[in-house]
Structure formats: structure tokens, C-alpha cells
């Protein structure tokens, strides 16, 4: 699919003058508006503490809605209808009415987003301020037409979201723990029940089947000291015994756990951070900002990145619950060292494969396609979470670091990290 | 904390001193009239002023509050009152009669010193006919700030701390001391309910493999942590915990001493917070105890706090009541709902012997055949908010023991709106490098005083909520409580130690309101 967008890369959009609240707004400010919308969405997802797979769903649909509107500014950009599973019949731009695709795009983004988040008011408030300023403007007829059209696109996207099996999956049974040796067990501190065990029933955007990119290499559990499982477990144990400050900082930097539980007796609370998917959406944003991409190109970057992340979660989660592998904390406590603890908190789902690794490598693949193999960037996503900014030589370097951070953090085996990178990059084939 | 205050010395003097009932402003006289400081002279308040060096983050039990002990320290026939203050000065009030009291703390030399003071007991430790005062401490890392205090009564309303002399100065993190004669040799020994200082592992269920079997990881560091039993050997106390088989690693918050197996020897019920279940230490009559909870009890409270053992249904068998944190009001219940358990964790805890634990009060009815039936929901006493001291006593002289439960926590640290949203924004601004001062943080935590519960025993294994029938007391953060007939009029008055508020001095008007029917 990606190949079809190659042409878009060379199209340089004319700077469209946009009248906004009696001020002349350049195309660059439209891109800024899209960045602002995505930041708002990510912050809302964080406040509502959606889990990483569910968050990936929330990032994607609004960005697809935005793209479907804004692409109509550029004939070179195709519709995603017919290209993403189940997506068809996006309402066409009304031929006889003056309509602004950018306004429609913003409006459709907000309606779709509002339909997916918990704190709807945060999105609705943004839209109210946006429309108020539009309607105060002299050309309020175009504004009205655009709002109407954006709403219609949103409705068609929302109708599409309703059929992705998400709602049905809410009512599915909880995960039943297996007694088989080496199977996943709930982990401290919360011992939370297995998260999204039925995520592989969600309709992917581009995958033909959820296990299309299931890695051929596996990591079967074995207590035998000569097994590759035992070896990689011991490698992890040895590595975490001498964790230096650099590795610790890396583990913290890419922790991206939306819901770290802290328990000090009854004093329990959660530290909410951006999810792995959200982190990569922010990396896409920073790449767009650095390259001063137009709103159209930025929208393409957001849509493709979020689509890749969404499918990566489905692919990874399918693998997780099929292999149902025990986490390092459980098995190391039982077999090696009863006092061992990982440096970061273990999230509540099976170990194989690594969600962060698959997602990061899938996102990096898309971004590399768009921005090039040696695109350097500075990632400031983690500053609000108490970390320094980090400079990366390329998207794949960042993805590799995030993959290894799970090993340093003590929540994934080195072998799993290696295999997961392959799984994430395989997802490239869908474009 | 001093969840259950030992009311070992309650002086009951049945008299017919009909006092004039204090007329209350604009309303009918309630059975329990709350008397103000202007009448009683008791101005005690347990104000907890947090500082950067000591707030709940440093010590989770900081808001557990202080204890109360009532006893006649000068043998004039009038019960006197001793309050502990978490961070301030303890107070001793001498009963002058007619429900008036005088603060004699400084003259008596009993302010409790530094540290975080917890439970208090009055006991005549040297059997000289005068009540002595024993004070426990916890909370600070420095063991010197946790040295227990034994105020020996000099016989002239002054006291001298002789804890070291008696061998009782030790520095465990202690909630409450329970004086009883475990070896039946005629003198009082003492059991300390202690807890670990590190709360970060209070909810974990870590396991390892030993000889091919998965076993729960027991913490082996029990210094200052394990409960302690000290044997009284002619006035000198000796630590016999290990010999008695009582070394444990529990977040104990209270104990109740009673003969649970009916063999005439005192046993120990310990109410333990968090993952560890409660324990029943059965007295083996040879100086040792054996833990046998599961032989008697089907399930226990998860966050077990205060406890009391009493025969509430008058069948001659003692029943057990343990309080937890479940909230009755539906809105507040959801606001504070705890998530420390779930289906998988519950099963994990069962697998590793942490037993069936539910986050609500438990009322264990003694069936008289060595088994207990848990009936708190049936009896209507399952939910009393964040509860501390449950006290069974016949408050209306009808022959049935009623129930009083103190409750309230100064800061609702389990409030979901706070945990999820407010704390988030505070942490975010801290991460952005903005300093957040302690007061801003503390002020963002909801602080909701609640009403203590009065339950009337209706004689059918059920209790009626008489909270608003019997008192006009305002919502509060109440901790320790004790009852005694302070005015010698034949009914039980009640004293409650409150955090950030004046202590409740309840005068019981049962005799005055119903002279004929309350004449037990």
C-alpha cells in the first residue's frame, strides 16, 4: 500500500491561504493544528488510562478520518477506502458547495476521537472553540458546509469502527490461567488479570489474517538447562545483575507503561505515561515538525504510523496468547533467585512477543519509508515524564533501543527481543 | 492502630446518682450526649500536622490516630482518662466527678515523650494497687523514637518511666500492647502487635520453588517487625516470642485475647492488614502457641484492622468481630473502591495459603462446637467505612451487647478521582521541573470526616444502625475509643480519640431517660 503514496511525496502543495478568525493562516499552521489535535488525543488517552492495544485503536481512526478529508486537497493522494479492511464509501466532497477540506478534516477528527475516548469533553471543548472562531468569520457559509461535511465523514468512519469487533470483544470471557509449566502468571504489584486476551478478534486494517506475520522462530518454555529458553533467561538474569545507569535510563525512557501501579500499603496510585503507540505517534509528529511537513503530508504520516501500530498490536497480541509464555519475574523467582525483581514494572500479559518491540519496529518501518533511512531526530516525548530528550540517528536506531529497553528493564528475554524485531519489520510487507 | 483499646479496667459503680440531664440546644436529649470542653474540661485533640519529615508517604499508618485508656489512677472511685497523641503531647485527665476533668499531664509527668505514639494500656504491672500506664510507639525509623514507655504509678498521682527496668523498652513498630497471663502463673505477661516498616511489599504474593514445590516467599527479617510476647518473670519481662512459636511477618493492627478453644487458657486472635490473613494462636498450655485460624474460621477480612471478642448473642460462647474498610454509602463506596484483589490474585493467595480474605468487616458467630459462622452481612455490620475500634458493650442496659465502631481517615488516599486525575497533574508538573510544595499536595487529597457507627443489638443476631438515634455527634476522624461509667450513674459512657478534632466525651443518659427499664 505504501508504494501508492510515493507520488505524494513529491507533490508540493501550494500554500493555501486560510482565513481563520480574521487572521491569515498559512498551510504550516494547518499542520500545527493537526499536531495539536494529535497531542490532545494522546493526552486524553493518557488521562483516561486506556491500555496500549486499546490506545492504538483510538489513535488510528481519527487520523484516518482526518486523512480522508484532507487528501481531497491533493488529487495525487488516494482514498484508503477499499485498501483498509471493511472501509468503503467515504462521502465525497460536495460538488456544488464551497467546502474546505481542512476544516472538514479537523471536525471529522474530533467527532471520531470523541466517540472513542472516555473524557469526551476534552475533545468536544476543542471543537467548540474551533467552530466558534470559524463561525465568527465572514465566510461562515464555507465553514458551515465544511463542518457538515466533516461530520458526515466522521459518521461513516464511526460506522466502520463499530464493525471492528471491539465492542463484542468487551463482553468476551476473561483469560483462564493455564496450569501448564512455563505458562503466564499474574505479576506484581497488581497481579492484574491478563490484558485483552481476545485482541486478536479485532479486525486489522491491512493484515489478511491476524497471524499473517507470526514469527517462525518461537521460544518454547523449558526448565532444562541446555534449552534456549533457560539460556536466554539466564542471560537476562546476568545482564540485570549488573545494570549500569545508561541501561537503567534507557529502560525508564522507553517504559511507556500507561498504568504503573504503586502500592505502599493502602497508599496505592498509578503513574500514567504515554503508551508505546503514543510514543511513536509523537515521534511521527516530531519528524513532521522537523521537516516542516504540510498538513497533508503530516496527515499521511499520522495515518500510516497509527495503522502500522494498530496492526502491530493485533499481530503481537495474537502471538502472546497463543504462546502464553511466563514472565521473567515469575520464572526467575521460582527457578533462579527468589528475590530478583525487574527494573521496571511487568505489564499484565504473556511475554512472547514483545509489544514494544513489534510496535516500535513496525512504526519505524513506516517512518523510514516516509522520511528516509538516516533521518535524525530529537525525541522530546518523555520530558513530561521526568526524562531528558534523546537524539536518534534513525528511526530503526530508536526502535532497536526501545526493544532492548525491555530487556534492560527485566520484562523480556533477549531472545524474545530479537525475534520481535523481526516480527515488527515483517509488518512492512503490508504496505 | 489502637484499633481496639483494651478496656481492662473499667470501673462499674452502680449508683443512683441521677444527674441532671444536660439539656441540648433545640433538640431532644439523645442517649449519648456529646459534652463540650466547657463542661468536661477535656480539650484533648490529636492534631496531626504533617511535615516534610513526617507525612503519610513516610509512614502509612500515620493517620491511624491515637488511643484512649480509662482507669482510676488515684483510687478515688472515679475513672480517669489517658489519651495518646500521634505527634503531640499525650494527656492524662483526672476525673473530678460530675463529668468534670482536670488535665494533670505535666504534674503527673506522663506526656509520652517524642515519637509516634500509638496504643495505650492501663495495668497494675507491679501489683501495688495502683494503675500504671503503658505506651507503644511506631512510625519513625530511629529506634530511639520507638522506645516503649512504662509509667509506674508512684501512688501520688505522679508517674516514673521504668520501662527499661522492667525489660519493656524494646523498639518494635508497635500498635498496641495486650497484658494477659498466657502461662497462668498469676502475673500479667504482654503481647505486642507489631508491623513491618516497609509497606511496599504488603500486597505482593511472590513465590519460589523449594524441593520442586512452589512456595510463598516469607520475609525472614523479623527484627522490630514480628509480634512479640514477653513473659513476666517476677517483675522482669523476657522476650519469649521464638520459644512460644509467635515469630511472624504481618501488618498486625490489633489483637484480641480470649479463650477461643474453650480449654480455659487464653488464646490470641491477631487482625492483620493486607495480604496476610488473620491468625488464631491457640495456647498449647506449655508456653507455646500454634496458629490454627483455618481450623475455626472460613474467611477473614482482607484489610483487617480493629477487633473485639465478646459474646454478643448471650449463648455463652465468645464471638469475634474484625473491622475493615468497606463503605456503606454507594457513592463513597465507588469513590474509594479498593483494587488490591482480583479473581486471579485471590486464587494465587489461596494457592499460597493466604486464605479466603474479603474486603469488609467480618462477624464470626461462635457455633459452640469449635466452628464459627461469618454473619456480618446478615447482622448488618459489614460496612463501617475505614474502621478502627469496634467495641461491644451494653450501652442501653437491656442485657444485649451493642456495638460501637470508630472510623475515618484524615486523607482519603484511596479516592479514585484523586489517585487518577489530581495526582496525575501534580506528578506531571513535578516532572516538568516545577516544585510542588507539600501543602499543595496534601490539600489536593480529599478529606472527608465520617460518622462513627452505633449499632443496637436487637437480640436476633442482628444489629440496627442507631448512629443517628443515639447521638448527634458530628462526622469525625475517630480512632481509639474506650467505655466506662465515668459519672458512676450506672450506664456506660464513651470516650473517643479524634484526629484533628476534640475528643468525644459521650455521657450516657440511659439511666436518666429510662430509670425503670435500664436498671440492670
Amino acid at each position: 500500500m505504501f508504494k501508492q503514496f510515493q507520488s505524494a511525496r513529491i507533490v508540493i502543495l501550494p500554500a493555501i491561504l486560510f482565513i481563520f478568525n480574521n487572521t491569515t493562516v498559512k498551510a504550516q499552521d494547518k499542520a500545527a493544528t493537526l499536531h495539536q489535535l494529535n497531542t490532545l488525543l494522546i493526552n486524553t488517552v493518557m488521562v483516561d488510562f486506556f491500555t496500549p492495544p486499546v490506545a492504538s485503536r483510538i489513535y488510528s481512526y481519527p487520523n484516518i478520518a482526518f486523512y480522508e478529508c484532507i487528501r481531497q486537497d491533493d488529487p495525487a493522494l488516494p482514498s484508503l477506502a477499499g485498501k483498509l479492511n471493511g472501509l468503503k464509501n467515504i462521502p465525497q466532497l460536495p460538488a456544488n458547495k464551497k467546502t474546505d477540506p481542512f476544516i472538514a478534516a479537523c471536525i471529522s477528527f474530533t467527532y471520531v476521537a470523541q466517540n472513542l475516548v472516555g473524557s469526551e469533553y476534552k475533545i468536544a471543548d476543542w471543537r467548540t472553540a474551533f467552530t466558534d472562531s470559524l463561525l465568527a468569520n465572514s465566510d461562515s457559509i464555507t465553514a458551515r458546509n465544511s463542518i457538515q461535511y466533516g461530520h458526515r465523514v466522521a459518521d461513516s468512519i464511526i460506522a466502520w469502527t463499530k464493525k471492528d469487533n471491539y465492542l463484542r470483544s468487551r463482553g468476551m470471557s476473561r483469560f483462564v490461567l493455564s496450569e501448564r509449566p512455563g505458562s503466564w502468571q499474574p505479576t506484581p504489584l497488581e497481579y492484574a488479570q491478563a490484558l485483552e486476551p481476545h485482541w486478536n478478534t479485532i479486525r486489522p486494517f491491512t493484515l489478511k489474517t491476524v497471524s499473517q506475520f507470526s514469527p517462525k522462530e518461537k521460544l518454547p518454555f523449558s526448565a532444562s538447562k541446555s534449552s534456549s529458553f533457560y539460556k536466554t533467561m539466564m542471560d537476562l538474569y546476568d545482564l540485570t545483575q549488573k545494570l549500569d545507569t545508561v541501561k537503567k535510563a534507557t529502560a525508564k525512557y522507553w517504559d511507556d507503561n500507561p498504568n504503573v501501579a504503586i502500592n505502599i500499603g493502602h497508599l496505592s496510585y498509578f503513574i500514567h505515561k504515554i503508551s508505546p503507540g503514543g510514543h511513536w505517534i509523537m515521534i511521527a509528529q516530531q519528524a513532521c515538525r522537523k521537516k516542516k511537513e504540510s498538513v497533508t503530508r503530516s496527515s499521511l504520516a499520522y495515518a500510516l504510523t497509527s495503522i502500522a501500530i494498530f496492526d502491530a498490536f493485533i499481530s503481537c497480541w495474537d502471538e502472546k496468547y497463543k504462546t502464553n509464555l511466563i514472565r521473567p519475574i515469575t520464572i526467575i523467582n521460582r527457578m533462579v533467585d527468589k528475590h530478583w525483581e525487574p527494573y521496571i514494572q511487568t505489564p499484565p500479559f504473556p511475554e512472547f512477543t514483545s509489544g514494544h518491540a513489534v510496535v516500535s519496529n513496525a512504526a519505524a518501518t513506516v517512518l523510514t519509508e516516509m522520511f528516509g533511512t538516516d533521518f535524525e531526530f530529537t525525541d522530546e516525548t518523555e520530558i513530561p515524564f521526568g526524562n531528558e530528550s534523546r537524539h536518534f540517528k534513525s528511526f530503526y536506531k530508536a526502535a532497536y533501543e526501545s526493544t532492548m529497553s525491555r530487556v534492560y528493564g527485566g520484562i523480556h528475554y533477549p531472545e524474545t527481543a530479537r525475534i520481535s524485531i523481526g516480527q515488527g519489520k515483517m509488518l512492512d510487507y503490508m504496505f | 492502630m489502637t484499633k481496639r483499646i483494651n478496656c481492662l479496667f473499667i470501673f462499674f459503680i452502680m449508683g443512683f446518682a441521677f444527674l441532671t440531664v444536660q439539656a441540648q440546644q433545640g433538640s431532644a436529649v439523645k442517649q449519648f450526649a456529646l459534652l463540650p470542653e466547657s463542661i468536661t474540661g477535656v480539650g484533648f485533640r490529636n492534631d496531626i500536622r504533617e511535615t516534610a519529615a513526617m507525612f503519610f508517604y513516610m509512614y502509612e499508618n500515620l493517620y491511624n490516630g491515637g488511643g484512649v485508656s480509662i482507669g482510676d489512677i488515684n483510687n478515688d472511685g472515679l475513672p480517669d482518662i489517658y489519651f495518646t497523641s500521634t505527634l503531640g503531647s499525650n494527656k492524662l485527665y483526672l476525673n473530678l466527678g460530675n463529668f468534670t476533668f482536670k488535665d494533670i499531664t505535666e504534674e503527673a509527668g506522663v506526656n509520652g515523650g517524642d515519637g509516634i505514639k500509638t496504643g495505650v494500656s492501663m495495668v497494675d504491672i507491679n501489683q501495688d494497687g495502683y494503675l500504671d500506664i503503658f505506651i507503644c510507639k511506631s512510625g519513625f525509623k530511629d529506634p530511639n523514637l520507638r522506645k516503649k514507655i512504662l509509667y509506674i504509678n508512684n501512688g501520688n498521682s505522679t508517674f516514673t518511666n521504668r520501662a527499661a527496668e522492667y525489660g519493656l523498652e524494646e523498639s518494635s513498630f508497635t500498635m498496641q500492647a495486650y497484658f494477659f497471663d498466657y502461662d497462668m502463673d498469676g502475673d500479667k505477661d504482654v503481647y505486642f502487635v507489631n508491623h513491618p516498616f516497609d509497606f511496599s511489599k504488603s500486597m505482593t504474593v511472590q513465590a519460589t520453588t523449594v524441593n520442586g514445590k512452589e512456595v510463598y516467599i516469607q520475609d525472614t527479617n523479623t527484627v522490630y517487625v514480628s509480634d512479640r510476647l514477653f513473659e513476666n518473670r517476677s517483675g522482669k519481662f523476657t522476650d519469649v516470642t521464638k520459644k512460644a512459636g509467635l515469630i511472624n511477618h504481618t501488618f498486625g493492627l490489633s489483637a484480641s485475647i480470649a479463650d477461643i478453644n474453650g480449654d480455659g487458657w487464653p488464646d490470641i486472635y491477631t487482625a492483620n492488614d493486607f495480604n496476610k490473613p488473620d491468625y488464631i494462636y491457640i495456647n498449647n498450655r506449655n508456653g507455646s502457641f500454634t496458629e490454627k485460624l483455618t481450623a475455626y474460621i472460613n474467611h477473614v477480612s482482607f484489610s483487617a484492622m480493629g477487633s473485639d471478642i465478646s459474646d454478643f448473642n448471650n449463648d455463652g460462647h465468645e464471638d469475634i468481630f474484625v473491622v475493615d474498610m468497606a463503605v456503606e454509602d454507594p457513592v463513597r463506596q465507588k469513590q474509594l473502591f479498593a483494587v488490591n484483589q482480583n479473581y486471579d490474585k485471590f486464587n494465587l493467595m489461596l494457592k499460597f495459603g493466604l486464605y479466603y480474605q474479603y474486603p469488609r468487616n467480618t462477624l464470626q458467630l461462635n457455633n459452640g462446637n469449635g466452628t464459627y459462622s461469618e454473619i456480618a452481612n446478615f447482622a448488618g455490620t459489614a460496612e463501617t467505612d475505614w474502621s478502627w475500634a469496634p467495641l461491644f458493650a451494653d450501652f442501653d442496659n437491656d442485657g444485649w451487647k451493642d456495638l460501637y465502631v470508630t472510623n475515618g481517615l484524615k486523607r482519603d488516599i484511596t479516592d479514585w478521582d484523586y489517585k487518577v486525575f489530581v495526582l496525575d497533574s501534580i506528578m506531571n508538573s513535578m516532572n516538568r521541573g516545577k516544585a510542588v510544595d507539600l501543602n499543595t499536595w496534601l490539600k489536593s487529597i480529599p478529606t472527608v470526616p465520617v460518622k462513627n457507627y452505633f449499632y443496637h443489638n436487637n437480640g436476633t443476631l442482628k444489629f440496627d444502625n442507631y448512629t443517628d438515634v443515639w447521638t448527634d455527634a458530628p462526622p469525625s476522624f475517630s480512632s481509639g475509643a474506650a467505655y466506662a461509667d465515668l459519672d458512676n450513674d450506672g450506664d456506660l459512657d464513651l470516650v473517643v480519640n479524634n484526629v484533628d478534632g476534640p475528643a468525644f466525651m459521650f455521657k450516657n443518659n440511659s439511666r436518666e431517660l429510662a430509670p425503670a427499664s435500664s436498671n440492670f
Side-chain angles (χ1 to χ4, degrees):
Chain A
M1 189 172 90
F2 192 86
K3 302 289 175 277
Q4 291 157 355
F5 293 108
Q6 297 298 309
S7 58
R9 215 182 266 175
I10 51 162
V11 174
I12 297 160
L13 286 170
I16 301 163
L17 287 183
F18 175 62
I19 309 300
F20 184 36
N21 203 11
N22 297 328
T23 317
T24 306
V25 177
K26 296 194 188 89
Q28 202 52 56
D29 300 312
K30 292 187 186 177
T33 306
L34 174 58
H35 300 324
Q36 191 187 54
L37 272 170
N38 270 287
T39 305
L40 171 70
L41 183 62
I42 283 168
N43 286 337
T44 308
V45 164
M46 203 157 49
V47 168
D48 291 347
F49 63 112
F50 286 104
T51 62
V54 179
S56 78
R57 182 176 177 264
I58 300 172
Y59 303 139
S60 57
Y61 288 117
N63 276 305
I64 292 168
F66 192 100
Y67 172 79
E68 283 300 322
C69 294
I70 201 75
R71 72 166 184 87
Q72 306 196 48
D73 256 351
D74 178 357
L77 290 175
S79 168
L80 295 169
K83 298 192 173 63
L84 301 182
N85 294 330
L87 180 64
K88 45 193 174 231
N89 301 333
I90 307 274
Q92 292 299 304
L93 208 60
N96 52 352
K97 288 183 188 165
K98 219 178 143 200
T99 311
D100 181 329
F102 171 71
I103 296 175
C106 292
I107 294 294
S108 66
F109 185 103
T110 60
Y111 277 114
V112 175
Q114 200 181 330
N115 206 265
L116 300 169
V117 300
S119 304
E120 294 177 38
Y121 72 94
K122 286 183 189 271
I123 312 287
D125 285 353
W126 188 93
R127 185 179 55 242
T128 306
F130 181 66
T131 47
D132 284 354
S133 67
L134 288 175
L135 297 174
N137 158 18
S138 53
D139 186 14
S140 66
I141 294 166
T142 306
R144 274 177 214 285
N145 290 343
S146 309
I147 290 167
Q148 215 171 34
Y149 172 66
H151 205 156
R152 278 174 54 221
V153 172
D155 284 345
S156 75
I157 297 285
I158 289 166
W160 176 51
T161 70
K162 300 289 185 204
K163 291 184 185 149
D164 71 359
N165 219 33
Y166 174 78
L167 291 176
R168 184 174 292 177
S169 72
R170 300 306 87 192
M172 288 179 182
S173 62
R174 59 194 307 289
F175 184 66
V176 179
L177 298 177
S178 167
E179 293 287 316
R180 187 173 51 83
S183 57
W184 180 79
Q185 300 296 316
T187 50
L189 284 166
E190 292 285 275
Y191 300 89
Q193 66 174 20
L195 189 139
E196 298 294 345
H198 305 288
W199 198 250
N200 67 351
T201 66
I202 303 292
R203 176 187 62 200
F205 286 129
T206 65
L207 304 180
K208 290 192 191 73
T209 68
V210 291
S211 46
Q212 188 180 353
F213 298 114
S214 169
K216 290 198 179 61
E217 276 187 277
K218 309 285 181 196
L219 186 59
F221 172 78
S222 168
S224 155
K225 294 199 171 170
S226 58
S227 68
S228 61
F229 176 84
Y230 195 91
K231 278 182 194 150
T232 195
M233 175 185 76
M234 289 311 293
D235 284 349
L236 173 67
Y237 179 69
D238 294 340
L239 184 148
T240 52
Q241 292 301 94
K242 38 182 196 273
L243 214 55
D244 58 26
T245 50
V246 178
K247 289 193 172 78
K248 280 181 180 172
T250 303
K252 275 269 175 251
Y253 187 83
W254 291 102
D255 185 14
D256 295 340
N257 184 342
N259 212 16
V260 181
I262 308 287
N263 263 329
I264 306 170
H266 288 297
L267 172 69
S268 63
Y269 57 92
F270 307 95
I271 296 172
H272 296 160
K273 297 191 209 175
I274 199 163
S275 70
H279 195 157
W280 279 93
I281 300 282
M282 289 306 288
I283 289 173
Q285 179 177 116
Q286 291 165 103
C288 291
R289 284 185 194 275
K290 190 186 172 204
K291 254 192 113 182
K292 298 194 166 52
E293 291 284 14
S294 69
V295 66
T296 325
R297 286 275 298 162
S298 298
S299 172
L300 184 61
Y302 280 121
L304 293 184
T305 309
S306 63
I307 286 168
I309 290 167
F310 181 86
D311 280 0
F313 269 110
I314 292 174
S315 175
C316 176
W317 249 242
D318 177 58
E319 198 62 32
K320 278 185 183 292
Y321 286 96
K322 280 179 180 157
T323 57
N324 193 23
L325 188 61
I326 198 161
R327 284 282 184 177
I329 183 170
T330 318
I331 197 64
I332 291 177
N333 281 166
R334 293 188 190 179
M335 285 173 52
V336 186
D337 176 352
K338 64 181 181 179
H339 295 301
W340 183 85
E341 279 180 50
Y343 182 64
I344 62 174
Q345 202 166 95
T346 307
F349 33 83
E351 193 271 344
F352 187 89
T353 46
S354 159
H356 209 315
V358 176
V359 163
S360 298
N361 285 285
T365 301
V366 170
L367 291 169
T368 304
E369 293 274 359
M370 276 204 79
F371 296 93
T373 44
D374 297 316
F375 188 88
E376 288 192 29
F377 64 99
T378 300
D379 178 24
E380 298 184 339
T381 313
E382 287 295 307
I383 292 174
F385 312 107
N387 294 313
E388 305 275 301
S389 65
R390 285 201 170 203
H391 187 79
F392 296 100
K393 295 275 184 203
S394 74
F395 295 112
Y396 277 129
K397 289 234 164 72
Y400 181 76
E401 191 186 279
S402 77
T403 304
M404 292 315 291
S405 77
R406 300 317 231 196
V407 178
Y408 307 151
I411 68 174
H412 279 291
Y413 309 108
E415 271 297 277
T416 302
R418 182 180 63 78
I419 297 167
S420 304
I421 292 173
Q423 190 185 2
K425 287 184 179 172
M426 269 200 291
L427 285 153
D428 177 31
Y429 296 126
M430 66 198 178
F431 293 115
Chain B
M1 104 168 349
T2 102
K3 311 330 223 15
R4 173 181 183 248
I5 301 306
N6 267 4
C7 298
L8 292 169
F9 299 88
I10 291 159
F11 285 67
F12 246 113
I13 298 177
M14 302 292 286
F16 290 90
F18 286 84
L19 290 183
T20 322
V21 171
Q22 294 290 336
Q24 298 198 310
Q25 290 176 333
S27 65
V29 172
K30 296 255 177 167
Q31 178 172 327
F32 279 95
L34 191 55
L35 301 188
E37 182 186 359
S38 55
I39 292 171
T40 63
V42 174
F44 177 80
R45 309 164 50 96
N46 182 14
D47 286 316
I48 298 180
R49 285 197 195 86
E50 295 108 325
T51 60
M54 181 45 76
F55 63 108
F56 66 90
Y57 204 81
M58 313 286 170
Y59 179 51
E60 223 245 8
N61 283 351
L62 179 64
Y63 304 135
N64 289 18
V68 193
S69 198
I70 302 179
D72 183 2
I73 58 122
N74 58 350
N75 294 346
D76 65 351
L78 292 164
D80 310 301
I81 308 173
Y82 189 87
F83 293 98
T84 59
S85 169
T86 305
L87 293 166
S89 165
N90 295 348
K91 291 284 178 192
L92 175 61
Y93 290 96
L94 200 62
N95 192 335
L96 305 176
N98 288 336
F99 237 97
T100 58
F101 297 81
K102 186 186 168 199
D103 178 356
I104 60 161
T105 313
E106 288 314 315
E107 306 94 284
V110 289
N111 68 20
D114 293 331
I116 287 179
K117 281 83 69 186
T118 55
V120 52
S121 314
M122 287 192 187
V123 57
D124 181 7
I125 203 72
N126 52 1
Q127 295 170 327
D128 65 351
Y130 284 94
L131 282 177
D132 311 306
I133 301 173
F134 190 79
I135 296 153
C136 304
K137 295 188 181 185
S138 185
F140 280 107
K141 219 167 186 172
D142 178 359
N144 289 319
L145 290 172
R146 301 196 306 266
K147 280 184 182 164
K148 295 176 172 60
I149 291 177
L150 172 58
Y151 285 124
I152 292 292
N153 195 327
N154 299 326
N156 57 0
S157 296
T158 70
F159 294 77
T160 309
N161 179 14
R162 299 191 191 280
E165 231 169 274
Y166 281 77
L168 287 174
E169 202 181 41
E170 69 98 51
S171 295
S172 291
F173 294 97
T174 306
M175 283 287 117
Q176 177 79 37
Y178 298 86
F179 288 89
F180 73 115
D181 186 6
Y182 84 97
D183 51 4
M184 305 283 264
D185 65 350
D187 56 25
K188 287 212 158 52
D189 313 297
V190 63
Y191 186 82
F192 297 141
V193 170
N194 300 333
H195 64 84
F197 188 58
D198 177 9
F199 284 74
S200 66
K201 293 287 171 58
S202 59
M203 303 280 196
T204 53
V205 195
Q206 271 173 292
T208 192
T209 312
V210 175
N211 299 329
K213 269 193 80 176
E214 280 176 15
V215 294
Y216 179 69
I217 298 174
Q218 293 283 354
D219 212 314
T220 46
N221 177 20
T222 54
V223 179
Y224 297 141
V225 163
S226 169
D227 291 356
R228 293 277 156 197
L229 179 67
F230 279 71
E231 186 195 345
N232 187 343
R233 293 182 184 160
S234 323
K236 184 90 181 167
F237 284 79
T238 309
D239 185 347
V240 293
T241 316
K242 207 167 172 193
K243 194 181 87 187
L246 291 167
I247 295 285
N248 59 20
H249 195 280
T250 59
F251 289 86
L253 283 172
S254 74
S256 290
I257 313 295
D259 180 9
I260 287 167
N261 62 348
D263 66 351
W265 286 63
D267 309 306
I268 308 167
Y269 185 102
T270 65
N272 299 321
D273 207 348
F274 308 121
N275 276 357
K276 296 281 174 66
D278 297 352
Y279 291 149
I280 290 179
Y281 290 114
I282 294 293
N283 193 327
N284 295 329
R285 293 178 278 174
N286 61 1
S288 74
F289 291 78
T290 305
E291 201 286 300
K292 286 187 176 165
L293 175 81
T294 58
Y296 297 95
I297 304 289
N298 289 318
H299 56 257
V300 295
S301 296
F302 180 70
S303 305
M305 296 151 87
S307 59
D308 197 7
I309 293 186
S310 183
D311 175 15
F312 79 90
N313 62 333
N314 294 351
D315 65 351
H317 301 290
E318 297 215 279
D319 313 298
I320 306 167
F321 185 53
V322 178
V323 291
D324 199 289
M325 305 157 52
V327 177
E328 190 176 12
D329 171 67
V331 174
R332 188 169 154 77
Q333 186 183 75
K334 286 166 185 63
Q335 205 154 357
L336 304 187
F337 191 77
V339 288
N340 302 317
Q341 274 182 315
N342 61 52
Y343 181 85
D344 291 330
K345 188 182 172 193
F346 190 93
N347 286 340
L348 200 63
M349 287 172 62
L350 272 185
K351 183 174 165 185
F352 293 119
L354 298 175
Y355 213 45
Y356 298 92
Q357 302 191 46
Y358 300 99
R360 60 170 176 78
N361 299 345
T362 44
L363 177 56
Q364 311 283 358
L365 175 69
N366 190 332
N367 297 319
N369 59 1
T371 69
Y372 288 78
S373 296
E374 199 281 301
I375 61 161
N377 275 322
F378 174 82
T381 59
E383 295 164 335
T384 53
D385 215 296
W386 199 310
S387 304
W388 303 110
L391 296 177
F392 280 113
D394 183 2
F395 290 122
D396 59 353
N397 291 1
D398 67 351
W400 295 93
K401 285 179 207 78
D402 309 301
L403 178 60
Y404 185 69
V405 182
T406 65
N407 58 17
L409 190 80
K410 176 171 172 172
R411 300 197 190 279
D412 278 338
I413 53 174
T414 60
D415 182 287
W416 278 99
D417 288 326
Y418 158 72
K419 275 200 294 196
V420 174
F421 299 106
V422 180
L423 196 58
D424 240 25
S425 62
I426 290 176
M427 283 193 290
N428 277 345
S429 61
M430 281 164 95
N431 285 340
R432 290 197 172 91
K434 269 189 229 162
V436 173
D437 74 284
L438 184 63
N439 276 334
T440 312
W441 181 8
L442 293 174
K443 269 189 198 144
S444 74
I445 309 173
T447 177
V448 182
V450 286
K451 279 186 184 173
N452 298 336
Y453 279 78
F454 261 116
Y455 284 113
H456 176 248
N457 185 338
N458 69 20
T460 64
L461 299 181
K462 290 196 180 216
F463 290 83
D464 296 316
N465 186 345
Y466 267 37
T467 303
D468 294 325
V469 179
W470 277 355
T471 74
D472 286 325
S476 57
F477 304 114
S478 298
S479 23
Y483 54 80
D485 186 1
L486 295 172
D487 50 1
N488 293 336
D489 67 347
D491 49 30
L492 291 174
D493 308 303
L494 194 55
V495 178
V496 182
N497 188 331
N498 288 332
V499 167
D500 286 7
F504 289 156
M505 297 290 293
F506 285 116
K507 176 178 159 36
N508 190 333
N509 290 321
S510 292
R511 296 292 295 118
E512 293 83 343
L513 289 169
S517 65
S518 68
N519 186 11
F520 255 71

